[in-house]
Amino acid sequence: MGETLRTDTVVVGLGAMGSQALWQLARRGVPAVGVEQFSPGHDRGSSHGESRIIRTAYVEGAEYVPFVRAAWEQWADLERASGQELLLRTGTIMAGAPDSGAVSGALTAAAHHGLEHTHLSPQQARERFPHHRFAPGEEAVVEQEGGVLLPEAAIGAAVRLAREAGARVLTGAPVTRIVPDPEQPTVWVGDTGIRARRVVVAAGSWTTRLLPQLPDLGIRVERRVLGWFPLTGDPAPHTGGQVFARDEEDGTLWYGFPSLDGLTVKIGVHAEASGARFEGAQWGEPVDPRVGPRAPDAADRARLGRLAARLNGVGTLPERMAACMYTMTPDEDFLIGHRSELPGLVLAGGFSGHGFKFASAVGAALADLAEHGRTDLPIGMFDPQRPQ
Ligand SMILES: Cc1cc2nc3c(=O)[nH]c(=O)nc-3n(C[C@H](O)[C@H](O)[C@H](O)COP(=O)(O)OP(=O)(O)OC[C@H]3O[C@@H](n4cnc5c(N)ncnc54)[C@H](O)[C@@H]3O)c2cc1C
């Protein structure tokens, strides 16, 4: 016979979103249990690989700006509470042709919300950022309100603070079933049942498998690869540089970070033109999260190497690579809130490869929803009940 635990709120999954939700609940004095199948900060989901970009003039839509501003405040709060530096304020470069999504999207968001920014012509961009090999006609939007988040450290800090505030944390504990109920939903870990008033499900790429009650919302899990490339020249422009995203004419949207170790820079590809193929690999390869993404291979090395060549002072053979999963919704907006098929549950999923920067505010919103059933944070556009 298994044990039965009781608590107010269970958080399933202690990745980016669940770790922040657990801390927010615990600091408010809500009895909470966090359950993670691996250990917080692991490298088998969507939140590993040393760094994540935060930017404010939001290319994906000006309507995200109020939520990213809330996230900045919550990150500062987590830094204060943990005594750790979790966000390096480097500023951001968004570059591309004048009509590219990166440039026009950043300018639209900046104009709409009165965000401080600088718009550089191709010549100004080349002069100011000589470590970037910009294409002719590539211009840049630069903003100070951008930087690097340290994902493993942020997750670790939130889980530690949650524990210190009284939350119980179960690791190496795969949830096998969640039984929705408006009064008393139950989370099963093997034959141990955890009965609660509310359950927050923040299971990342595993969400749809864990919630068979969900109708098909068109969620896809896709593989992405990151590469760390060696610095070959003067490291200063790269160590003191900005995070960046570059929108290429062929539809590739790739990004990179300043060097955090003084030896390498990390780059990755966010999106490609639909149907793109590289040496036989179809872009956006689907992944079964139970198996995990395929290990990086020679095609990934060549693909990322071609992009590394768009930087000066950087070699084109990566020192290491890592594979990771994106959980995509059809509209690439997140799913945060309630679904009628899942009474007693609060859902946080479908972060579509751009969710980490919001995790601190998502955690606060999830704690509000679990505690009060509503939140003042601007998450209306993420209603999981919206038509997809
Ligand atoms: C390569 C890459 C680069 C990215 N770059 C950026 C960026 O620069 N900026 C940005 O804002 N975003 C970025 N993102 C997106 C961002 O990292 C994700 O949106 C975010 O990490 C998703 O968090 P999550 O909590 O939903 O998922 P995860 O962090 O994967 O957490 C889900 C957790 O649930 C656990 N879990 C699942 N099933 C169970 C179960 N049955 N029982 C117990 N535990 C379970 C998992 O083990 C995992 O720990 C990037 C993503 C990738 C992959």
Side-chain angles (χ1 to χ4, degrees):
M1 274 290 283
E3 200 187 346
T4 302
L5 308 176
R6 283 174 204 282
T7 190
D8 184 90
T9 302
V10 182
V11 178
V12 176
L14 298 180
M17 310 301 162
S19 60
Q20 300 297 326
L22 188 69
W23 174 52
Q24 293 286 348
L25 287 161
R27 73 193 301 215
R28 298 172 189 193
V30 176
V33 177
V35 191
E36 168 55 48
Q37 61 183 344
F38 305 126
S39 60
H42 66 85
D43 64 357
R44 296 161 77 171
S46 301
S47 301
H48 56 283
E50 177 183 283
S51 47
R52 291 290 184 272
I53 295 175
I54 181 167
R55 51 196 158 77
T56 305
Y58 216 61
V59 169
E60 290 81 347
E63 60 278 21
Y64 275 87
V65 172
F67 198 42
V68 83
R69 282 179 152 159
W72 278 96
E73 285 174 25
Q74 296 291 340
W75 287 120
D77 216 16
L78 180 61
E79 285 189 310
R80 270 192 300 274
S82 65
Q84 286 174 253
E85 187 179 34
L86 304 168
L87 200 172
L88 317 176
R89 291 154 179 82
T90 64
T92 312
I93 305 169
M94 305 296 297
D99 60 351
S100 64
V103 169
S104 67
L107 288 174
T108 302
H112 197 83
H113 292 281
L115 303 174
E116 209 175 300
H117 68 285
T118 313
H119 186 181
L120 301 180
S121 68
Q123 192 186 337
Q124 289 169 325
R126 276 195 301 276
E127 284 167 8
R128 179 142 167 216
F129 304 117
H131 58 303
H132 280 268
R133 195 169 293 164
F134 289 120
E138 200 170 349
E139 49 185 53
V141 180
V142 184
E143 64 167 348
Q144 286 312 308
E145 283 291 286
V148 185
L149 284 157
L150 307 178
E152 292 90 347
I155 291 170
V159 172
R160 172 174 65 79
L161 290 171
R163 272 199 174 108
E164 287 170 11
R168 185 162 174 191
V169 175
L170 308 180
T171 62
V175 168
T176 40
R177 198 156 63 98
I178 302 175
V179 183
D181 184 274
E183 309 291 329
Q184 196 177 230
T186 307
V187 170
W188 289 93
V189 182
D191 60 359
T192 299
I194 316 175
R195 292 192 201 290
R197 195 182 55 79
R198 288 290 171 265
V199 174
V200 171
V201 184
S205 299
W206 292 263
T207 302
T208 50
R209 294 182 186 274
L210 197 54
L211 296 173
Q213 306 89 339
L214 264 185
D216 182 2
L217 299 176
I219 295 170
R220 305 180 320 276
V221 179
E222 295 181 357
R223 176 177 179 269
R224 292 290 189 281
V225 178
L226 300 162
W228 284 258
F229 289 81
L231 296 181
T232 53
D234 176 13
H238 290 286
T239 50
Q242 298 75 8
V243 292
F244 65 87
R246 289 176 57 180
D247 210 338
E248 304 287 334
E249 284 209 327
D250 65 2
T252 305
L253 181 60
W254 64 289
Y255 58 88
F257 296 81
S259 176
L260 299 185
D261 59 5
L263 300 170
T264 57
V265 289
K266 186 183 103 173
I267 65 171
V269 179
H270 177 68
E272 294 283 5
S274 73
R277 282 186 167 273
F278 298 99
E279 298 180 12
Q282 176 74 45
W283 174 251
E285 179 181 317
V287 181
D288 178 343
R290 293 168 300 184
V291 180
R294 222 166 27 81
D297 61 11
D300 298 313
R301 188 175 304 121
R303 172 73 189 126
L304 290 173
R306 277 195 289 278
L307 294 170
R310 310 291 311 271
L311 297 169
N312 287 316
V314 172
T316 56
L317 259 189
E319 291 202 349
R320 63 187 168 108
M321 296 189 285
C324 189
M325 294 182 287
Y326 272 16
T327 310
M328 306 296 293
T329 61
D331 59 13
E332 299 184 19
D333 294 328
F334 316 145
L335 303 169
I336 307 174
H338 303 104
R339 281 282 319 185
S340 55
E341 306 84 356
L342 303 172
L345 271 53
V346 182
L347 185 64
F351 287 95
S352 303
H354 63 119
F356 198 92
K357 65 185 74 60
F358 300 96
S360 58
V362 173
L366 292 173
D368 288 345
L369 292 172
E371 216 184 338
H372 310 297
R374 58 172 301 283
T375 182
D376 290 335
L377 286 159
I379 59 163
M381 63 185 283
F382 308 127
D383 183 354
Q385 210 72 45
R386 71 184 180 273
Q388 284 282 353

